[in-house]
Amino acid sequence: MTTNSRIRRKGLAPVVQARLALWTFVIVNLAIIEFLFLTAGKGKNEVLTVAKFFGLHAALIMMCQLLLVARLPWLDRRIGMDRLTVWHRWNGFLLLWTVLTHATIVVLGYATLDNVSIAKTFVALAGVPASLLGMLAATTILVTGVVSTRYVRRRLQYETWHGLHLLLYVALGLAFVHQLIETTTFKSSPSAMAYWWALWLFAFGSLVVGRIVRPLILNARHQFRVAAVVPESPNTVSVYVTGRGLDRLPAKAGQFCIWRFPGHRHWWLANPFSLSAEPDGRSLRLTAKAVGKGSAGLRDLQVGTRVFVEGPYGAFTSLHRTRPGVLLIAGGVGVTPIRALLQEHTPGDFVVLYRVRDQREAVLLNELHQLVQARRGRLHLLTGRTGQGARPFEPGALRQLVPDIVERDVYVCGPSAMTAAVLSGLRQLNVPRLQVHAEKFGLA
């Protein structure tokens, strides 16, 4: 098993290091783009000069958009896929408005230059290959932005939304070709060409390596297969997955993988499930509650079924420990990464709060008891319905259960409403932000 006796006490927190790296990337490239804009000369008129300004910045936003979803291990393990995905979402809307602004000003600029109507200018530009590609890219980004709004997103199945969302990569490809043949932005100087080629290759290369190459190598190397299927309750099942050389898999307790069972479901259907046990170099275990077609059908998996695994992902790990004391808070099936963290061979005084409506819903409760007892920690099973007066995560209740809560690292995993209640309580208790670790395990 993995052992780790180090608790970070000094220096920058891993998440701070990663955020600084991202901000440095953005600021340095912004400075380069401003320099290129100022030295490349003006456009054909003042309006088109402004359009070029927005176009250059739209290109940089596209690079950031790719990097945020490239699933680069160094970033993912320090920031977490959930936060990177949220930033990707908001960056996407910034990209949408920047691209639309650029496109609108281009049309206005040429209408002013040629002294013709906007409609005629639009039609004329559509006949120019570079402009047409830009229009197609802008339209595709607009469609992607519309389907990503909360109103539309909630009314679409994930697979439908994801398929439409993939159009964004088509838009980025169109935008790249648009910039490549648009001499005023890409070919203004040899140094500008070198810069843009390097930036595009870095962004697209990161995406291809992170989303395609690494998963293919991972599965070719380890050859994952189902080793056992164990019911944990009437609606919960654990799946044990084995493979070759799992001792070389860089997985840590608290992380999750994206799982595909091609013989069980279509190969393009995937589910994110946390590791419910500390990786031991011999097998991986996931535990899932039947809440959809994918998780409900896991109990029907046959031993020997081939598994396609992406990951491991996530920053919900002991890498972010700062204090000797740890408070683990789980809700429902969110206990799975909590249980893995409890099993991990890290030092400290552990307290576990496990929130369920009824004790019969407490999955893996016996395992938790055994692990807590081995650590000489404390386990509080919190039952009852919130609407019936049970509010264990209010500041006063938290302090009563864990008097030294401000001196502990706090890991929270559970339903979104519970997680929000816990985080609110921790803020009111003034628990330092770097001691609070919560992660949403999902794909969108």
Side-chain angles (χ1 to χ4, degrees):
M1 292 186 180
T2 303
T3 59
N4 181 4
S5 60
R6 299 179 60 187
I7 299 175
R8 183 185 55 80
R9 296 180 184 275
K10 296 181 180 180
L12 290 177
V15 64
V16 175
Q17 296 173 13
R19 288 176 175 176
L20 282 175
L22 279 176
W23 276 114
T24 300
F25 173 84
V26 171
I27 291 171
V28 168
N29 282 281
L30 270 176
I32 294 173
I33 285 177
E34 301 301 333
F35 175 78
L36 293 176
F37 172 73
L38 293 173
T39 58
K42 297 181 179 180
K44 296 179 180 179
N45 60 24
E46 292 182 354
V47 179
L48 291 173
T49 300
V50 175
K52 183 170 69 171
F53 175 85
F54 279 98
L56 291 171
H57 289 77
L60 177 59
I61 296 172
M62 290 178 191
M63 308 302 141
C64 294
Q65 194 73 337
L66 291 173
L67 291 175
L68 289 173
V69 292
R71 296 177 185 170
L72 301 176
W74 190 84
L75 285 179
D76 177 77
R77 292 167 189 168
R78 286 160 178 79
I79 296 178
M81 188 189 294
D82 61 333
R83 289 176 179 83
L84 292 171
T85 301
V86 169
W87 296 351
H88 172 79
R89 170 183 170 80
W90 290 112
N91 191 67
F93 287 117
L94 175 62
L95 172 63
L96 169 63
W97 289 113
T98 305
V99 167
L100 291 180
T101 301
H102 167 70
T104 302
I105 297 177
V106 166
V107 174
L108 291 174
Y110 277 104
T112 302
L113 183 67
D114 299 332
N115 195 26
V116 297
S117 68
I118 291 176
K120 288 183 177 180
T121 302
F122 183 87
V123 173
L125 288 174
V128 179
S131 300
L132 178 61
L133 289 170
M135 291 177 180
L136 292 174
T139 302
T140 307
I141 291 172
L142 176 62
V143 172
T144 306
V146 170
V147 300
S148 295
T149 59
R150 292 188 184 277
Y151 178 82
V152 178
R153 172 68 185 89
R154 290 174 177 174
R155 287 160 175 77
L156 295 175
Q157 291 185 343
Y158 171 77
E159 290 78 15
T160 303
W161 171 84
H162 186 253
L164 293 172
H165 192 74
L166 290 177
L167 290 173
L168 181 62
Y169 300 122
V170 176
L172 296 182
L174 292 171
F176 168 71
V177 180
H178 164 70
Q179 188 182 23
L180 180 64
I181 61 180
E182 178 54 69
T183 57
T184 60
T185 59
F186 201 93
K187 302 177 181 178
S188 59
S189 69
S191 59
M193 284 186 63
Y195 167 75
W196 285 115
W197 271 113
L199 194 59
W200 277 102
L201 289 174
F202 173 67
F204 272 116
S206 297
L207 182 74
V208 171
V209 170
R211 300 295 293 270
I212 300 175
V213 176
R214 288 188 70 250
L216 289 176
I217 292 176
L218 179 79
N219 286 271
R221 174 186 298 159
H222 296 293
Q223 298 289 309
F224 299 102
R225 293 188 181 277
V226 174
V229 179
V230 180
E232 303 288 355
S233 74
N235 64 348
T236 308
V237 64
S238 288
V239 178
Y240 292 79
V241 174
T242 189
R244 301 185 307 195
L246 293 188
D247 56 318
R248 292 181 291 149
L249 183 70
K252 290 179 64 68
Q255 292 189 300
F256 70 100
C257 294
I258 298 174
W259 308 82
R260 287 182 171 86
F261 302 93
H264 166 60
R265 303 177 73 203
H266 297 298
W267 64 267
W268 62 85
L269 300 178
N271 289 98
F273 294 122
S274 298
L275 300 174
S276 59
E278 181 194 13
D280 59 7
R282 297 184 301 274
S283 67
L284 305 172
R285 185 178 83 164
L286 65 96
T287 302
K289 184 178 180 181
V291 294
K293 292 181 180 180
S295 53
L298 292 179
R299 65 179 60 249
D300 299 323
L301 286 173
Q302 299 297 312
V303 172
T305 298
R306 187 67 184 272
V307 185
F308 191 88
V309 179
E310 293 180 51
Y313 299 122
F316 196 72
T317 68
S318 59
L319 173 68
H320 301 274
R321 286 273 306 274
T322 64
R323 299 293 179 128
V326 182
L327 171 60
L328 305 175
I329 303 178
V333 78
V335 72
T336 54
I338 296 295
R339 184 250 181 245
L341 286 170
L342 189 61
Q343 183 184 10
E344 188 179 34
H345 285 189
T346 51
D349 172 34
F350 281 71
V351 177
V352 181
L353 306 183
Y354 189 8
R355 178 76 168 101
V356 289
R357 290 182 296 182
D358 186 274
Q359 183 170 339
R360 291 170 295 183
E361 298 181 5
V363 182
L364 307 179
L365 181 59
N366 290 336
E367 295 183 15
L368 285 182
H369 274 301
Q370 294 172 8
L371 292 169
V372 169
Q373 186 176 13
R375 282 188 172 274
R376 298 182 180 179
R378 288 177 288 148
L379 170 63
H380 298 278
L381 184 64
L382 311 175
T383 59
R385 294 179 178 272
T386 302
Q388 297 175 352
R391 298 183 182 276
F393 301 124
E394 291 183 344
L398 284 171
R399 188 181 291 279
Q400 184 176 6
L401 288 167
V402 191
D404 62 345
I405 189 171
V406 178
E407 302 300 322
R408 293 177 176 269
D409 279 297
V410 184
Y411 287 79
V412 186
C413 186
S416 56
M418 187 211 83
T419 300
V422 173
L423 296 181
S424 175
L426 296 176
R427 283 193 296 269
Q428 294 179 61
L429 290 170
N430 295 317
V431 178
R433 288 182 60 186
L434 289 178
Q435 292 172 214
V436 179
H437 318 288
E439 190 168 14
K440 178 183 177 182
F441 305 97
L443 298 179

